[in-house]
Amino acid sequence: MSVIYFKPHDRFDFANDTLDIGNPLQWDRSHFLKHFFKRVFAIREDQIDEFYQRHLAYYLSQHTDGTEEIFYKYFWSLIERQLKVLLGKDVYDQNHLRNEREILRLQKITAMLITHDRWNIHKSNDAVIAQQESEILALKQEVTKLKADLRKATAFKTEGYINIPEGYRNAVLHLHLQMQELKTPEGKELMFSQTQSVWMKMICKYFREGDKEINYETIRRYFPSDKRDPGDKHADIPAKSKLFTINPAKKRS
C-alpha cells in the first residue's frame, strides 16, 4: 500500500502548507492514492523536490531494509501511471483545463525525479512512451491552435484584386498619400498607421497595374518612413500623375 511509503498527515495538524498525505482528522487509508494526488496537485512548484525528500526520509526511517531505489521506483510508478491516464483523456473532456494543469504538474515532477535517478529507471519503455505521448499531445494541441489561427487569418482572403490601367499606378499612389493627410473635423488623422509599410503592403496585395503585380520595392520610394526627413532615396509623385485631388466636402447647413 502507498501508506507505507508516504508520511500520513498528523492528526489535528491543520497547517495549510503541509506536505503530508491525508486529512488532519479521521480518514480512510484505503483512499490513500486519492489523497496522495490531491496533495501532489496542491503543493507549490518550488516544493516538489522537498515533497520527494520528505517522504523518502519518512520511508527510510520506517523501514530499516528500505532503500531509496525501492522508494524511487514506487514513486515513479505512481506518477508515470497517472500521467498516462491523463494523457489518454480526450481533449474535449469537460475537465480538459484541469487535466492540462495536472499533466503539467506531473511532467514537472517527472523532470525532478529524473535528476534523482541513479538507476536509469526513467529510461524504461513505459516512461519513454509516456514522454513521447506527452510530446505528441503538445504537438497536436499546437497544430489545432495553428489551424484555428490560419482559419482566422484567411477568413477574408480573396483571389480577386483591384486593377489599375497601365500607366496609372502613380495616380493611385497619389490618392493613398493624400488619404494619409486627411483629418476629421476634430483635427484627428482620419487614417493612421504606425508605418508606411502597411500602405505599401495593402497596395501590392490588393491592386494590380494592367493585371500585373505591383513591385513593393518600386513603390517604396514614394512612401518615406519619416515624412519630415524623407532622405535621398525618396521621390515625389510626378506632377503628370497627380490627376485627382481629395478635398473636404463643404459643410451642409
Side-chain angles (χ1 to χ4, degrees), residues 59-229:
Y59 169 74
L60 294 177
S61 71
Q62 299 296 309
H63 303 85
T64 56
D65 58 342
T67 65
E68 182 177 359
E69 181 179 4
I70 295 173
F71 175 80
Y72 182 97
K73 284 181 178 179
Y74 190 75
F75 197 126
W76 177 271
S77 68
L78 294 180
I79 301 302
E80 180 184 51
R81 184 174 64 188
Q82 186 63 17
L83 182 56
K84 290 179 70 175
V85 169
L86 291 174
L87 290 172
K89 290 184 179 292
D90 195 295
V91 294
Y92 297 107
D93 186 282
Q94 62 178 349
N95 296 317
H96 174 64
L97 293 179
R98 187 187 71 186
N99 294 342
E100 287 299 297
R101 289 195 299 270
E102 292 182 353
I103 286 172
L104 181 60
R105 171 52 58 89
L106 294 181
Q107 288 174 332
K108 290 184 180 298
I109 293 177
T110 297
M112 177 277 295
L113 287 173
I114 290 174
T115 66
H116 292 288
D117 187 4
R118 303 191 302 275
W119 314 276
N120 288 327
I121 294 169
H122 75 278
K123 293 184 178 180
S124 66
N125 289 337
D126 286 347
V128 172
I129 291 172
Q131 181 63 27
Q132 289 175 340
E133 288 176 344
S134 175
E135 292 171 357
I136 290 171
L137 177 63
L139 289 173
K140 285 182 177 179
Q141 292 173 338
E142 181 66 18
V143 168
T144 300
K145 180 180 181 300
L146 290 174
K147 285 182 176 179
D149 291 343
L150 181 61
R151 283 195 296 271
K152 290 180 181 179
T154 58
F156 297 101
K157 186 177 180 180
T158 175
E159 298 298 328
Y161 52 80
I162 301 170
N163 194 41
I164 304 168
E166 188 75 36
Y168 287 90
R169 180 202 65 196
N170 287 349
V172 174
L173 299 184
H174 183 231
L175 290 173
H176 282 84
L177 290 167
Q178 289 183 76
M179 285 191 286
Q180 295 184 42
E181 304 301 324
L182 298 177
K183 295 185 181 297
T184 67
E186 297 78 21
K188 296 181 179 180
E189 292 174 290
L190 182 62
M191 288 177 278
F192 173 77
S193 66
Q194 292 286 352
T195 66
Q196 289 293 296
S197 64
V198 175
W199 292 87
M200 293 184 285
K201 289 177 180 178
M202 178 182 68
I203 292 167
C204 292
K205 183 173 183 178
Y206 295 110
F207 289 79
R208 296 288 186 272
E209 182 184 10
D211 292 314
K212 296 179 182 178
E213 291 188 0
I214 296 174
N215 187 285
Y216 182 91
E217 296 300 325
T218 301
I219 67 172
R220 173 182 266 178
R221 63 180 180 271
Y222 301 117
F223 294 84
S225 57
D226 187 349
K227 294 180 181 180
R228 293 169 298 183
D229 183 19

